[in-house]
Amino acid sequence: MEEQCVTGWAARDSSGILSPYSFTIRKTGDEDVNLKVLYCGIDHTDLHQMRNEIHMSIYPLVPGHEIVGEVVELGSAVKKFKLGDLVGVGCIVGSCGDCSACMSNMEQYCRNRIFTTNGIHKDGKRTQGGFSTAMVVHQKFVVRIPDKLSPEQAAPLLCAGVTAYSALRQFNDSDKILKAGILGLGGVGHVGVQIAKAMGHHVTVISSSDKKKVEALEHLGADDFLVSSNAAEMEGAAESLDYILDTVPAVHPLQLYLSLLKVIGKLLLVGVAPKPLQFESDDLILGKKSITGSFIGSMEETQEILEFWAEKGLKSMIEIVKADYLNEAFKRMEKNDVRYRFVFDVAGSNLN
């Protein structure tokens, strides 16, 4: 197959408004997988990129990095997939392959990683994401979707799911019941709750209001719910948590949440805030606490979370939308008006 003309939905400027856009993708190389896009999760990072709030966006920009598709063509050197397979593509589609991060199966930390959206391929061409009819991706950056997972359920795991899983993986198989905090109950937070519970942790959801309390406790299985704007509740929970997974993709006061950690507790940042976050050094020093970051996950971890999710029988809470609703979906997501992840039905939409 030669270069393909495909149709997607793209942002043309920092307004972030999406509209139909036609472009070409490369022909299938020896180690490439050509896939028809079926579904694509909608992530807060998409909105940041569409509005040029991170990574210096180049327009037109086709977002989407939680992509599930069907294999329609394979390069001659690809042996681990076959035509018709259900596969996934996440946040990156390339790396150098030679650095210490790549050699340690942590290619997401490669300084020359190639992002699925708004990146530059080794041939100099720009990458466009999964809000499009087709993609061509090197086989290393494609994962297999387990038979037990439907494509729309799998999509949020390719960024939100692996982001939570990669950060929490260090606590799996602990010899004691850990007290976990999940800060923010959005796309990443709602899968984080389920992953931590499946690992056997005692999970407290931390939110700015009690609007999501019933959902957190009854639908997602959290053990406790803490309202961060309630001073008495926060004081009562001081020094009670072993770790907090901070999923908030906006500016927020870290000092407030550091007070909840036990001695040697960890605050794990996975939400990308568009402006710097602040804290007092004493809040770390006097409790030997730490703030650490975790960025998406490796390809190995991406395959692991898919298998973990299927094995544990977990379920993403999603709302499926079509192309004509995309701009409205982003408006709602910005207002936290989604439970808990929009998934774009690409194959079922008229992209023109």
Coordinates of all heavy atoms in Angstrom, one line a residue, residues 5 8-9 30 107 113 121 135 139 183 276 283 326 328:
C5 N -4.4 8.6 1.8 CA -5.1 9.8 2.1 C -6.1 9.5 3.2 O -6.9 8.5 2.9 CB -5.7 10.4 0.9 SG -6.5 12.0 1.2
G8 N -9.4 13.1 9.1 CA -9.4 13.3 10.6 C -10.1 14.5 11.0 O -10.7 15.3 10.1
W9 N -10.1 14.8 12.3 CA -10.6 16.1 12.8 C -9.4 16.7 13.5 O -8.7 16.1 14.3 CB -11.8 15.8 13.8 CG -13.1 15.8 13.0 CD1 -13.4 15.0 11.9 CD2 -14.3 16.6 13.3 NE1 -14.7 15.3 11.5 CE2 -15.2 16.2 12.3 CE3 -14.6 17.5 14.3 CZ2 -16.5 16.7 12.3 CZ3 -15.9 18.0 14.3 CH2 -16.8 17.7 13.3
D30 N 8.6 -2.1 6.4 CA 8.8 -3.5 6.7 C 8.4 -3.8 8.2 O 7.9 -4.9 8.5 CB 10.3 -3.8 6.6 CG 10.7 -3.9 5.1 OD1 9.8 -3.9 4.2 OD2 11.9 -3.9 4.8
E107 N 11.1 3.3 27.3 CA 11.2 4.2 26.1 C 10.4 5.5 26.3 O 10.7 6.5 25.6 CB 10.9 3.5 24.9 CG 9.5 2.8 24.8 CD 9.4 1.5 25.6 OE1 10.4 0.7 25.6 OE2 8.4 1.2 26.2
R113 N 12.0 10.6 22.2 CA 10.7 9.9 22.0 C 9.8 10.7 21.0 O 10.0 11.9 20.9 CB 9.9 9.8 23.3 CG 9.6 11.1 23.9 CD 9.0 10.9 25.3 NE 8.8 12.2 26.0 CZ 9.7 12.7 26.9 NH1 10.8 12.0 27.2 NH2 9.5 13.9 27.4
H121 N 8.4 12.5 13.1 CA 9.0 11.2 12.7 C 10.4 11.4 12.3 O 10.9 12.5 12.0 CB 8.2 10.6 11.5 CG 6.9 10.0 11.9 ND1 6.9 8.9 12.8 CD2 5.6 10.2 11.5 CE1 5.6 8.5 12.9 NE2 4.9 9.3 12.2
M135 N -3.9 4.8 10.7 CA -2.6 5.1 11.2 C -1.6 4.0 10.7 O -2.0 2.9 10.5 CB -2.5 5.2 12.7 CG -3.4 6.3 13.3 SD -3.1 6.4 15.1 CE -1.5 7.2 15.2
Q139 N 5.9 -1.5 14.7 CA 5.3 -2.6 15.5 C 5.7 -2.5 17.0 O 4.9 -3.0 17.8 CB 5.8 -4.0 14.9 CG 7.3 -4.2 15.0 CD 7.6 -5.7 14.6 OE1 6.8 -6.6 14.8 NE2 8.8 -5.9 14.0
L183 N -6.1 11.4 44.2 CA -6.5 12.8 44.1 C -7.0 13.2 42.7 O -6.3 13.1 41.8 CB -5.3 13.7 44.5 CG -5.5 15.2 44.4 CD1 -6.6 15.7 45.2 CD2 -4.2 16.0 44.8
P276 N 3.6 26.0 36.9 CA 4.3 25.4 38.0 C 3.5 25.2 39.3 O 2.6 26.0 39.6 CB 5.5 26.4 38.3 CG 5.7 27.2 37.0 CD 4.3 27.3 36.4
D283 N 7.7 20.7 54.3 CA 6.7 19.7 54.3 C 7.2 18.4 53.8 O 6.6 17.3 54.1 CB 5.6 20.1 53.3 CG 4.8 21.4 53.7 OD1 4.6 21.5 55.0 OD2 4.4 22.2 52.9
L326 N -17.7 16.2 19.1 CA -16.4 16.3 19.7 C -16.1 17.7 20.4 O -15.6 17.7 21.5 CB -15.3 16.1 18.6 CG -15.0 14.7 18.2 CD1 -14.0 14.7 17.0 CD2 -14.4 13.9 19.4
E328 N -18.3 19.8 21.6 CA -19.1 19.8 22.8 C -18.5 18.9 23.9 O -18.5 19.3 25.1 CB -20.5 19.4 22.5 CG -21.5 19.5 23.7 CD -21.6 20.9 24.3 OE1 -21.5 21.8 23.5 OE2 -21.9 21.0 25.5

